[in-house]
């Protein structure tokens, strides 16, 4: 009932959020192609894995968005299906969204491993960003595995700890990488000339 009330009350904001998330998914695909081109010389297989993991996560993320769109469509069907059926269908749609979203989290974690490894190898970005990116990967995978292994995972202290800590290394690593590439660029460092 709370989910349904929030959807009805904040429908416009929910629609804008859906559009922005869909745009973010498309942006992530473009980013993966650009990172592939940037890092291929540092490791072609790892650069290809970035593309593969992103290409797998994108349809899952878009399917999750489609489940949220289903919930919105159900709001329009209220006069024909009645409030009880509406509530149960909205709950099913939102649970479907959650399941697809958590499944795509596997690949959000997996793509960080080759990305971090390439940052470590490339020589034109500080290695600390690579270490932080790699450190963020297991938390995404735990977000997927936790609810499967423990149905009460979302309410557990472990989940709260993972939620609290999970984004910190990854956000610093990915954010640092983005800022480094934006302001410094991807020029390889050349060794200093030996003194004469």
């Amino acid at each position: 009932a709370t989910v349904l009330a929030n959807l009805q009350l904040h429908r416009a904001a929910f629609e804008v959020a859906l559009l922005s998330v869909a745009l973010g998914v498309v942006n992530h695909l473009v980013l993966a192609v650009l990172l592939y081109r940037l890092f291929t010389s540092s490791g072609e297989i790892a650069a290809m894995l970035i593309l593969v993991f992103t290409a797998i996560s994108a349809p899952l993320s878009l399917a999750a968005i489609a489940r949220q769109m289903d919930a919105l469509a159900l709001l329009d069907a209220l006069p024909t299906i009645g409030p009880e059926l509406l509530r149960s269908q909205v709950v099913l749609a939102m649970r479907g969204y959650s399941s697809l979203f958590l499944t795509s989290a596997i690949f959000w974690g997996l793509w960080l491993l080759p990305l971090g490894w390439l940052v470590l190898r490339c020589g034109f970005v500080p290695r600390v960003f690579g270490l932080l990116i790699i450190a963020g990967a297991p938390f995404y995978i735990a977000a997927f595995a936790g609810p499967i292994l423990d149905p009460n995972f979302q309410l557990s202290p472990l989940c709260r700890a993972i939620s609290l800590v999970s984004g910190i290394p990854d956000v610093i690593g990915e954010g640092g990488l983005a800022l480094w590439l934006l302001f410094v660029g991807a020029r390889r460092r050349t060794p200093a000339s030996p003194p004469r």
Side-chain angles (χ1 to χ4, degrees):
T2 305
V3 170
L4 187 59
N6 281 333
L7 279 175
Q8 290 170 324
L9 187 61
H10 305 291
R11 182 176 181 146
F14 191 68
E15 290 168 343
V16 169
L18 287 177
L19 287 171
S20 62
V21 171
L23 183 61
V25 170
V26 173
N27 181 44
H28 193 214
L29 284 168
V30 172
L31 174 66
V33 171
L34 295 174
L35 289 172
Y36 170 79
R37 292 197 60 201
L38 178 66
F39 287 117
T40 297
S41 62
S42 299
E44 189 170 355
I45 292 173
M48 182 61 72
L49 285 173
I50 289 173
L51 279 179
V52 169
F53 293 145
T54 304
I56 294 170
S57 75
L60 288 169
S61 298
L62 292 172
I65 294 168
R67 294 300 290 153
Q68 289 183 318
M69 292 170 63
D70 290 345
L72 284 178
L74 285 165
L75 293 179
D76 299 329
L78 177 59
T80 59
I81 65 173
E84 282 302 314
L85 185 56
L86 174 68
R87 274 196 288 274
S88 65
Q89 292 297 314
V90 166
V91 166
L92 283 174
M94 296 309 285
R95 284 190 180 160
Y97 156 77
S98 181
S99 297
L100 285 164
F101 189 78
L102 286 175
T103 303
S104 65
I106 296 169
F107 300 99
W108 299 339
L110 289 176
W111 95 290
L112 294 175
L113 296 172
L115 176 63
W117 186 77
L118 288 167
V119 168
L120 288 172
R121 285 188 49 130
C122 72
F124 54 81
V125 176
R127 294 170 58 90
V128 67
F129 295 139
L131 294 172
L132 289 167
I133 290 169
I134 290 169
F139 296 108
Y140 286 102
I141 297 165
F144 167 77
I148 292 173
L149 299 173
D150 178 9
N152 297 317
F153 178 75
Q154 300 292 344
L155 303 173
S156 71
L158 178 61
C159 180
R160 283 193 291 274
I162 287 173
S163 298
L164 188 64
V165 177
S166 66
I168 296 171
D170 180 41
V171 167
I172 295 171
E174 282 189 90
L177 172 63
L179 291 172
W180 183 271
L181 292 174
L182 182 64
F183 292 112
V184 178
R187 294 178 294 277
R188 291 194 181 275
R189 293 190 182 116
T190 54
S193 314
R196 296 180 189 202

